[in-house]
Amino acid sequence: MNIIFTISFTLMAIGAILSLIRFVKGPRSGDRVVALDTMSIIITSALVLLAHVFDRYIYVDVALVYAVLGFVGVIVIARYIEGAL
Amino acid sequence: MKKVLVILLLAALGYFLAQTFLEIPLGENRIGDINAQKPTAAGYYLSNTKEKSKVANVVTAIVVNYRGLDTLGEVTVLFLATTGVASILYRRKEEEEEVERLNLPSSNIIRTGARVLFPAITLLGIYVFIHGHLTPGGGFQGGTIVATGFLLMLISYKGFNTNHNIMTWVESIAGLSFVLIGLWGLITDHTFLGNIPQIGELNKLLSGGLIPIIYIAVGFKVAVELTGILDILLKIKPKK
Amino acid sequence: MIYIAILIIMGVLLLATAIFAVTHRDLLFAVIATGIISLILSLFFYLLQAPDVALTEAAIGIALTTIIFVITIRNTTRDEDEIIDKKNEKL
């Protein structure tokens, strides 16, 4: 089981680093908003996997809040860029 | 010249802070022995919450039961902030002009997504503040989640209006019930915000005496206040 | 072992995003960087076995902090140096 966790967390860390490179480098604001959304999904799945590692299933409530509210943050910035906030 | 002075001041502050932080023993057991004769404060809370309060979440028991007066102060601070914002920025609709909020209608994706997600977010918020004594969370967190749901509807639909009269009544009744529960504790237990004798068992929804009722009142109050603040702030016209 | 590796990698990412948020000129990108900082900080609180604090940071950091800053940017300018340039012109 230990090898599976190590491979999963390595892949998630590579995904997070690539998202951050796109956030720093992107010339327009659309690139940065997409990087925020991608990092939100990666960290939600990391929280659920860590709840299995720590062996306490009440920790999943934190990931539930992130999964539902990630949409609202992206919509707020998108409406401002459109000019209609 | 000013920049050099600021950097020197920050370096001195950083040096003294580092001296203080290096004396903390990292990674060692600072709670001490829980069952000792004179435990530390953290040890006392950890060992006596299960028998005396019968509440599974120790953080909720500390916030509402052991340190309940500080929670009343925090609720007062939120009430003052909302009153300040509303007294400066709130304008009622006059006859000719309409206080409008959005210029462009939103696309189909945003409208459909908002309509599907709004009941789910409200349900999640109500779940978080009702189960505050069993799972992580509580009144303040649940109220914030419900206010986010209302924010989603306020951004997406042009005609979605919140009724300020109803919101004022709900906020006042919730705040008043917190103080009345405290006075009820004064009658039965001879302390302000004392708890009633326990009916249920551990880890059930009905345990904890008055603790879930206080958190339900706080949850409603915070949700209504934050929705009111966001509604007022979104209607300010930018001067261009 | 996994624990220490996650802490170090996320710590480096947090530092890079914080430097970007402070030194960039366009204010909307600083607001998005604040959102990412709140996300990584919530993961840190979770790793230190404090789920209550992690849930609080998640509930306020995603939508409420972002909307208040975006309303402020809408009512003033989006570019940081525009106000400083206008003041220097008058002097």
Side-chain angles (χ1 to χ4, degrees):
Chain A
M1 275 313 238
N2 222 353
I3 279 225
I4 298 182
F5 290 144
T6 311
I7 296 179
S8 303
F9 283 123
T10 310
L11 289 175
M12 282 183 198
I14 293 178
I17 291 176
L18 288 175
S19 283
L20 203 73
I21 290 179
R22 175 47 61 189
F23 173 78
V24 169
K25 217 177 79 163
R28 292 177 299 201
S29 41
D31 300 309
R32 301 177 206 241
V33 170
V34 167
L36 169 74
D37 198 18
T38 307
M39 278 196 77
S40 167
I41 294 178
I42 289 178
I43 288 192
T44 304
S45 59
L47 287 175
V48 174
L49 194 58
L50 276 172
H52 183 66
V53 169
F54 287 151
D55 209 9
R56 288 173 199 262
Y57 285 99
I58 62 169
Y59 282 12
V60 179
D61 288 355
V62 184
L64 189 59
V65 167
Y66 259 122
V68 170
L69 294 185
F71 180 67
V72 183
V74 170
I75 290 295
V76 161
I77 298 186
R79 286 294 263 169
Y80 170 71
I81 294 176
E82 195 184 10
L85 180 57
Chain B
M1 181 56 198
K2 210 160 60 164
K3 284 189 184 175
V4 171
L5 204 58
V6 166
I7 289 181
L8 276 179
L9 202 61
L10 280 176
L13 188 65
Y15 173 70
F16 285 122
L17 270 179
Q19 285 274 334
T20 313
F21 279 146
L22 281 174
E23 286 178 16
I24 300 178
L26 279 178
E28 294 183 14
N29 187 14
R30 291 173 64 225
I31 298 181
D33 194 10
I34 293 184
N35 301 322
Q37 193 68 356
K38 289 192 178 186
T40 55
Y44 178 80
Y45 285 145
L46 277 178
S47 61
N48 282 355
T49 303
K50 221 165 100 169
E51 288 95 26
K52 287 193 183 169
S53 296
K54 287 214 178 67
V55 163
N57 192 359
V58 179
V59 178
T60 299
I62 292 178
V63 164
V64 178
N65 200 10
Y66 290 115
R67 296 278 180 257
L69 205 55
D70 298 339
T71 306
L72 188 60
E74 283 184 24
V75 166
T76 309
V77 165
L78 262 179
F79 173 68
L80 284 178
T82 307
T83 309
V85 168
S87 72
I88 295 180
L89 293 173
Y90 177 58
R91 296 169 54 216
R92 286 196 187 85
K93 258 195 275 196
E94 291 152 8
E95 275 98 23
E96 298 96 30
E97 65 171 278
E98 237 189 37
V99 187
E100 69 170 28
R101 193 172 56 229
L102 296 180
N103 302 326
L104 304 173
S106 48
S107 66
N108 245 344
I109 301 178
I110 297 181
R111 269 188 291 162
T112 312
R115 199 173 56 207
V116 167
L117 269 183
F118 175 60
I121 295 182
T122 310
L123 187 65
L124 177 69
I126 293 182
Y127 161 79
V128 166
F129 72 66
I130 285 185
H131 289 254
H133 55 294
L134 299 173
T135 56
F140 296 99
Q141 290 92 327
T144 312
I145 294 175
V146 173
T148 309
F150 275 102
L151 167 72
L152 181 62
M153 288 299 275
L154 280 173
I155 287 183
S156 314
Y157 283 90
K158 192 166 175 173
F160 186 83
N161 272 325
T162 52
N163 197 351
H164 277 271
N165 268 337
I166 296 182
M167 291 201 310
T168 311
W169 274 105
V170 170
E171 176 186 355
S172 307
I173 291 179
L176 205 58
S177 63
F178 194 159
V179 179
L180 286 179
I181 288 176
L183 289 177
W184 171 262
L186 197 60
I187 297 176
T188 59
D189 204 9
H190 301 289
T191 53
F192 189 70
L193 284 172
N195 214 347
I196 62 176
Q198 315 295 323
I199 306 179
E201 317 150 357
L202 193 61
N203 266 333
K204 299 268 186 206
L205 193 55
L206 211 54
S207 59
L210 286 172
I211 291 178
I213 304 180
I214 292 180
Y215 252 170
I216 290 175
V218 169
F220 271 114
K221 187 174 171 70
V222 170
V224 164
E225 274 173 352
L226 286 180
T227 305
I229 287 182
L230 284 172
D231 192 22
I232 291 173
L233 281 180
L234 278 172
K235 282 185 179 157
I236 305 176
K237 283 193 179 171
K239 357 181 196 184
K240 273 289 158 65
Chain C
M1 183 54 206
I2 299 178
Y3 194 68
I4 298 178
I6 293 180
L7 275 178
I8 292 180
I9 294 179
M10 286 304 175
V12 169
L13 288 185
L14 185 68
L15 192 62
T17 313
I19 291 178
F20 182 85
V22 169
T23 63
H24 207 259
R25 182 177 154 154
D26 196 343
L27 286 177
L28 184 68
F29 304 153
V31 168
I32 302 177
T34 304
I36 294 185
I37 288 177
S38 168
L39 197 67
I40 301 181
L41 205 59
S42 171
L43 179 69
F44 269 23
F45 286 143
Y46 186 91
L47 281 172
L48 291 169
Q49 312 261 348
D52 261 38
V53 190
L55 192 85
T56 309
E57 180 70 33
I60 62 171
I62 297 184
L64 289 183
T65 308
T66 310
I67 184 69
I68 287 187
F69 278 128
V70 164
I71 289 178
T72 308
I73 291 180
R74 176 190 73 155
N75 286 343
T76 57
T77 69
R78 180 173 161 172
D79 206 2
E80 186 181 85
D81 290 333
E82 198 176 304
I83 302 179
I84 301 179
D85 285 338
K86 274 188 191 165
K87 274 194 205 160
N88 285 340
E89 268 178 30
K90 282 188 196 165
L91 288 177

